[in-house]
Amino acid sequence: MVKELYQTVLRETSLNVTNGEIDSVRKKSITKSGCRVYDGGFLGVAGTLGEPTAESWAQAEANLARKIPCPWGPKTDARRTCRRGAAMDADRFLHLCEELTETLRREFPQFIFSNKINWTEEMQRLRNDAGLDFTWQDAAGLVSLLVRTQDSVNIFDTSIGGIYRSFDPAAVLQEAREVLEAHLNPISLPDVEKMPVLGSPDMFSRAWSEALNGQKLARQASVWSGEVGRQLFAPDFTLEVDRSADNFFVPFFDAEGTCLEGDTLPLIEGGVLRRGYADRKCAWEQQMQPTAAADGAYDDAPALSLPPLSVRPTGKTLEEILDGRPALYVLTSGGDVTPDGSFATPVQMAYLYQNGRLIGRLPEFGLRGNLTELLGKGFLGCSQDKPYDSSHACVMEMTIVR
């Protein structure tokens, strides 16, 4: 019998912003402990808030009777500790955020600011008595401010924010000023059929979840079943599982303790489909490589889930990718991808980007395209820099729907 502790700790200071001022501060600290017992090819799980107790372990052993199959057993004989980001004193964080909101009110009296600014610290630990000992920590500030003009009837008109491991009001203000100044300059949509769009792989999460699912690929239930090893997208497009320090609040291990060499693994590499995502169960059943794709609540058995994905930067800055061409910076949208890869979305808020900055607010419009085209001949690159939202910009040429 092997006993394993899967533990998460969340500490957060949350500032509520109303009418441009911080009106309340909320602090929380939550520890959740999952007790796992492996025996005879089965898994027993029980959970508790706070530190584990003798009763928690006894309940996990009793739950072996449910016979949750786990013939692959626990991960063993590995140790690693990783810290990303540093803790911040709550009073210091409050002071910095007061500076930020005061500056926004003074420089932009046309707007009303609301919502949240948080400083979050997370820790995950996975330990068992078979030699596994993983500990990961991260800390960052998240600015998520909704912005409404003084005379607007909307709930909000735009938003500003980002995520920062080193919280610097000057860095937040630099991007906020650019967005807000552009918002005050309404302009017409360029009279063209297609334009580059500053996007992210999250736009196509449903497609990745369905088409790259290892079980579906193996069972001929994915649109890409039988396509492993074939060129599907642009030669410089690489989509990878990303558990590196470049990602925020993503541990280097998944809920089963699977790690990746270099903390990344391509699913699509150089446009070629290499593999689907798989947890240890999928890998066991389908003879696939596990890709650190197990997730689940602390008191549940881990299960296959879409892992954190990133597009690998293609070696150029956003300015170098566009080479003077204007682009669309889409702030709020919806839409989805159909199983065959057709993508369409309305765009409620977007700005025109040109020559290194946002220059004006665009009217509402729509975007569409097919995934194979968007990430094939329409893929212009993924920026080495992070121009907006603390993210690399995945630049694709998309069709405008007026």
Side-chain angles (χ1 to χ4, degrees):
M1 179 182 294
V2 175
K3 293 183 176 181
E4 183 173 85
L5 174 66
Y6 178 59
Q7 189 174 65
T8 66
V9 179
L10 171 68
R11 297 186 181 91
E12 186 173 76
T13 299
S14 180
L15 312 181
N16 190 66
V17 179
T18 304
N19 293 326
E21 296 185 353
I22 297 170
D23 62 4
S24 65
V25 180
R26 179 175 56 86
K27 299 179 182 180
K28 64 181 178 182
S29 179
I30 303 173
T31 299
K32 300 177 181 179
S33 298
C35 300
R36 301 173 180 171
V37 176
Y38 299 85
D39 191 36
F42 297 104
L43 171 65
V45 183
T48 185
L49 293 177
E51 295 295 327
T53 63
E55 290 77 11
S56 304
W57 289 110
Q59 184 61 55
E61 289 189 39
N63 287 342
L64 283 168
R66 298 183 178 182
K67 295 192 178 300
I68 299 173
C70 190
W72 47 91
K75 297 288 287 186
T76 63
D77 299 321
R79 296 175 181 271
R80 182 180 171 187
T81 298
C82 176
R83 185 178 186 99
R84 301 166 181 168
M88 177 177 284
D89 177 75
D91 291 337
R92 172 66 174 162
F93 180 61
L94 175 59
H95 175 70
L96 292 175
C97 291
E98 286 175 337
E99 285 184 6
L100 172 64
T101 54
E102 180 183 353
T103 303
L104 287 171
R105 292 197 310 272
R106 183 179 68 253
E107 294 188 7
F108 296 97
Q110 310 94 324
F111 296 111
I112 298 171
F113 303 92
S114 61
N115 208 28
K116 303 287 185 181
I117 309 176
N118 294 342
W119 182 263
T120 302
E121 299 173 31
E122 288 189 14
M123 185 274 287
Q124 281 193 20
R125 178 181 295 128
L126 187 62
R127 295 176 175 171
N128 64 34
D129 50 18
L132 184 70
D133 190 348
F134 287 159
T135 301
W136 159 90
Q137 297 179 72
D138 202 355
L142 176 63
V143 178
S144 180
L145 291 178
L146 303 179
V147 185
R148 180 170 63 88
T149 56
Q150 292 280 359
D151 58 352
S152 174
V153 297
N154 299 323
I155 297 175
F156 69 97
D157 296 310
T158 188
S159 63
I160 55 176
I163 187 166
Y164 311 87
R165 285 206 176 95
S166 178
F167 190 81
D168 179 6
V172 182
L173 283 167
Q174 181 178 354
E175 184 174 329
R177 288 182 179 117
E178 187 175 336
V179 171
L180 296 176
E181 288 168 3
H183 192 85
L184 293 172
N185 180 36
I187 59 176
S188 300
L189 194 64
D191 188 19
V192 294
E193 180 184 0
K194 292 185 176 183
M195 281 191 69
V197 175
L198 313 187
S200 77
D202 293 341
M203 298 172 70
F204 312 122
S205 289
R206 181 182 176 188
W208 308 137
S209 179
E210 295 292 323
L212 292 174
N213 183 298
Q215 291 283 12
K216 292 186 176 183
L217 278 172
R219 295 171 179 173
Q220 305 302 308
S222 164
V223 294
W224 293 338
S225 291
E227 301 289 339
V228 174
R230 289 191 57 190
Q231 187 87 33
L232 300 181
F233 303 110
D236 56 350
F237 177 77
T238 294
L239 181 75
E240 56 192 359
V241 180
D242 186 359
R243 293 187 171 274
S244 71
D246 200 43
N247 242 334
F248 292 88
F249 298 113
V250 175
F252 64 85
F253 58 94
D254 71 355
E256 294 177 316
T258 299
C259 298
L260 305 173
E261 184 177 353
D263 295 330
T264 62
L265 180 70
L267 303 182
I268 299 169
E269 185 175 26
V272 177
L273 177 61
R274 295 298 185 193
R275 58 185 62 84
Y277 64 88
D279 61 357
R280 297 186 69 206
K281 177 182 179 181
C282 177
W284 176 275
E285 293 176 345
Q286 307 299 341
Q287 299 300 299
M288 300 175 66
Q289 178 182 1
T291 65
D295 200 4
Y298 69 102
D299 55 352
D300 281 339
L304 181 62
S305 179
L306 182 69
L309 300 176
S310 294
V311 176
R312 184 183 295 172
T314 50
K316 294 182 178 180
T317 65
L318 177 59
E319 273 299 278
E320 290 170 336
I321 291 172
L322 291 172
D323 193 24
R325 292 182 64 187
L328 304 175
Y329 173 48
V330 176
L331 205 62
T332 56
S333 64
D336 210 341
V337 185
T338 62
D340 67 352
S342 296
F343 174 77
T345 179
V347 178
Q348 290 83 34
M349 180 54 60
Y351 301 102
L352 186 67
Y353 175 94
Q354 191 163 24
N355 299 325
R357 64 179 294 105
L358 305 179
I359 63 172
R361 168 169 52 96
L362 297 167
E364 293 187 12
F365 58 96
L367 292 170
R368 63 178 175 83
N370 186 274
L371 199 60
T372 304
E373 295 178 357
L374 296 176
L375 301 177
K377 63 181 180 181
F379 180 69
L380 303 181
C382 183
S383 69
Q384 200 71 32
D385 56 340
K386 298 180 178 181
Y388 301 104
D389 302 325
S390 306
S391 301
H392 303 285
C394 184
V395 188
M396 301 160 286
E397 197 166 54
M398 303 182 73
T399 299
I400 298 173
V401 181
R402 301 174 190 273

